[in-house]
Amino acid sequence: MIPHFSVVIPTYQQPALLLKCLDALGRQRLPRDQFELIVVDDANSSETAAAVALFTRQIARAGGPLEVRYLAQPEERGPAAARNRGWRAARGRVVAFTDEDCLPQANWLASVLPSFERGAQVITGQMHLTLPDGTAPYSPRSLYLDSSELISANCFCRKSALERVGGFEEAFDLSWREDSDLQFKFIQAGIPISKCPEAVVVHPMRETPWYTPLTNEQKSRYDALLYKRHPELFRQRIETDRALVLEYYASVLGVLMGVLGALISSSLVAVVGFGVWGVLSVNLIRRRWPDQPSRPLVQQTILTSLATPFLAVYWRLYGAIKYRVLYW
């Protein structure tokens, strides 16, 4: 019997999180013979293989017909390549994507089945973020990612639609902008994207080091690649980032202008340059100010706010040079 769904889960050295994800998928309300699970291990890890084998034994003991497949990538190539490996091996007519650190809710698959029976091609669900203590983030914008038109950790695509556009672009070898690229390819191919709010995936937010926002700035180099591949759609759909990025550039230029003024002994140039940088820095710190400030949080907020513009501009320029494209 050909299953309705093939669920593809890319993973990288997170066997404990993967087991929680698999357990959630094992609790789907859809009959188990109507879907299969495909785990694609980008780390080719023995620990991950053991975790999948453990879950498979648990399913077998429970007497369920659920098929679980483990595919190890020969070399690390990123989540986009892992997803491509998974959907190309899929037996189901519809490929469902989620991530190792996500928990699809019990009606995740069942909620989208009627839409596909009526002819839907691509559906994206809703991500529900929770803090480490299980509560929801304070900001409603963080709680539901309604602004995202296609979320790679919670989307469903007919296999024929993926074959038509070639799946994910593997040049996005980190988890950033690869879902926007796929969305843009569907739009250009005339393939409609629908939403199903009932298809909920819970994403527990893990505690990370305070400097994680700084290291994450390296992902912004992929903006240049996305712009190069889809310039018009990039301008239309990624416009919300424009004002902030322009502030980053103005902040860096302000510092450069201030240093230049000091080197040429021009007080006016130095004051204007450092003044622009100071105003923009204070504005950024104010926007990031913690709701419950403490001395460590305040220090981290100030440091990350001052460093972010320089890293953001560096990585955007890096991407523009690497991908040979001029963009904002």
Side-chain angles (χ1 to χ4, degrees), residues 126-127 129 141-149 151 195:
Q126 186 168 228
M127 295 294 291
L129 308 184
R141 182 174 175 80
S142 297
L143 180 58
Y144 292 111
L145 305 181
D146 290 329
S147 60
S148 299
E149 296 179 65
I151 307 168
K195 282 195 174 186

Side-chain angles (χ1 to χ4, degrees), residues 1-19:
M1 177 180 175
I2 298 176
H4 286 300
F5 297 97
S6 294
V7 182
V8 174
I9 313 108
T11 186
Y12 183 83
Q13 295 183 345
Q14 294 290 345
L17 292 176
L18 176 64
L19 278 174

Side-chain angles (χ1 to χ4, degrees), residues 35-99:
F35 66 100
E36 64 174 352
L37 306 182
I38 302 174
V39 176
V40 185
D41 182 6
D42 198 37
N44 196 4
S45 164
S46 58
E47 291 82 2
T48 300
V52 176
L54 173 63
F55 176 76
T56 303
R57 289 194 297 270
Q58 292 172 344
I59 289 293
R61 283 197 296 269
L66 179 60
E67 181 177 352
V68 184
R69 285 191 278 163
Y70 170 80
L71 304 178
Q73 290 285 69
E75 59 182 14
E76 181 185 343
R77 298 176 57 195
R83 293 188 188 102
N84 283 343
R85 174 90 183 277
W87 74 257
R88 287 171 180 143
R91 296 192 302 115
R93 298 183 181 89
V94 176
V95 181
F97 293 102
T98 193
D99 287 346

Side-chain angles (χ1 to χ4, degrees), residues 7 60 72 75 86 131 143 172 183 202-203 225 249 253 262 265 267 287 297 305 319 328:
V7 182
E75 59 182 14
L131 295 173
L143 180 58
F172 296 90
Q183 172 200 344
V202 173
H203 184 186
L225 177 58
Y249 277 99
L253 289 174
S265 301
S267 299
R287 290 202 300 262
L297 276 178
S305 298
W328 54 259

